[in-house]
Amino acid sequence: MAGEGPTTTIGQTGVLKKIVDRTARAWVDIQAGKPYWKFLRSSLSFTLVSAQRTYTVSAALPTGFALTTVDKWDKQSSFIYTTSTSDESPLKWIPYQDFRRQYRTFQSGRPTQLTEGPDGTVSFNRTPDAAYVITLDYWKTPELLQNPTEVPAAPEQYHDVIVWRSVMMFAGNEMATDLYAYAKSMFAPMYLQLCLDQMDAPVTMRNYPLALGGRRSPQTFEDAR
């Protein structure tokens, strides 16, 4: 491309629109290509309502937290306390089917376990008898780049990985084989370093790559394609 490229992401047409769209798509593909990224890790805290055992995350939480931002929960890092973290204790996640079989009636008290229902609700094994504070860690869904001022969540030194992935997509569509090969040679080592630096698998899964659904961390530049 001659010149400096698009001055904004809004209202572009033709080739410039392709550049904008494929850059945004490249970032989504990079995020979705691995299951756990440090830069997508987040945490939320909210207070249980006395006598309310099940919560619709997208609406019921007073934080305004939206279910659409959750890709997966970190089920090793969930906690509950009453008035301060001095009495904090861990919460155990139970698979929904096991939860349904184990709990047919519910006692009142301090929850010790929770589950995620098929509809995205979060339910506790006891009906809260106080305003307990819950802390849940999670990984966010891949972020979308839409507005001109948005900045990718990954550390700044890795932002060019988006550029070269976008160039690969553009060159592949235009059958520009030499440009594709060059972009790939720039992308692969940077992507490898991004994975080595920012992969954030749960503790119980770090030594079991097959548990990651086959999406293992790359060991070579060829793996990092």
Side-chain angles (χ1 to χ4, degrees), residues 6-221:
T7 57
T8 178
T9 61
I10 304 300
Q12 296 296 339
T13 60
V15 174
L16 294 185
K17 186 176 189 306
K18 289 182 180 180
I19 292 175
V20 170
D21 291 347
R22 285 171 184 160
T23 300
R25 182 71 246 176
W27 181 223
V28 171
D29 288 350
I30 289 168
Q31 295 172 89
K34 299 293 178 184
Y36 305 100
W37 293 108
K38 290 179 182 178
F39 57 80
L40 290 181
R41 176 182 278 279
S42 191
S43 180
L44 70 99
S45 294
F46 62 97
T47 302
L48 296 184
V49 178
S50 182
Q52 182 177 339
R53 191 182 57 79
T54 298
Y55 295 79
T56 302
V57 179
S58 59
L61 298 186
T63 58
F65 177 78
L67 178 63
T68 54
T69 65
V70 174
D71 183 41
K72 58 185 70 67
W73 300 105
D74 181 354
K75 297 182 178 179
Q76 309 300 318
S77 301
S78 302
F79 304 94
I80 183 173
Y81 67 85
T82 306
T83 57
S84 72
T85 55
S86 61
D87 77 335
E88 188 175 67
S89 58
L91 286 166
K92 182 179 180 181
W93 285 82
I94 303 294
Y96 178 73
Q97 291 182 331
D98 294 344
F99 189 91
R100 287 279 291 165
R101 285 193 296 266
Q102 185 174 347
Y103 296 106
R104 305 305 299 164
T105 60
F106 299 91
Q107 298 179 348
S108 177
R110 175 173 172 142
T112 59
Q113 299 177 337
L114 72 165
T115 192
E116 181 181 13
D119 57 355
T121 56
V122 173
S123 299
F124 296 88
N125 67 324
R126 294 176 185 166
T127 303
D129 60 351
Y132 298 102
V133 178
I134 305 297
T135 300
L136 304 178
D137 284 9
Y138 66 98
W139 287 272
K140 295 181 285 188
T141 53
E143 62 179 5
L144 303 177
L145 296 179
Q146 297 175 314
N147 299 317
T149 58
E150 289 178 325
V151 179
E156 185 175 358
Q157 65 265 33
Y158 300 117
H159 286 181
D160 276 358
V161 76
I162 306 171
V163 175
W164 293 115
R165 177 60 181 165
S166 176
V167 174
M168 289 170 64
M169 294 169 66
F170 189 89
N173 185 72
E174 301 296 324
M175 303 297 291
T177 55
D178 289 346
L179 178 59
Y180 181 91
Y182 176 71
K184 181 180 174 181
S185 72
M186 299 296 291
F187 168 83
M190 192 177 302
Y191 179 65
L192 173 62
Q193 189 58 45
L194 173 67
C195 291
L196 294 175
D197 182 42
Q198 291 292 308
M199 285 291 291
D200 189 31
V203 173
T204 56
M205 299 174 69
R206 285 175 184 160
N207 296 323
Y208 301 94
L210 292 180
L212 299 179
R215 294 186 290 177
R216 60 187 176 84
S217 297
Q219 302 299 315
T220 67
F221 289 172

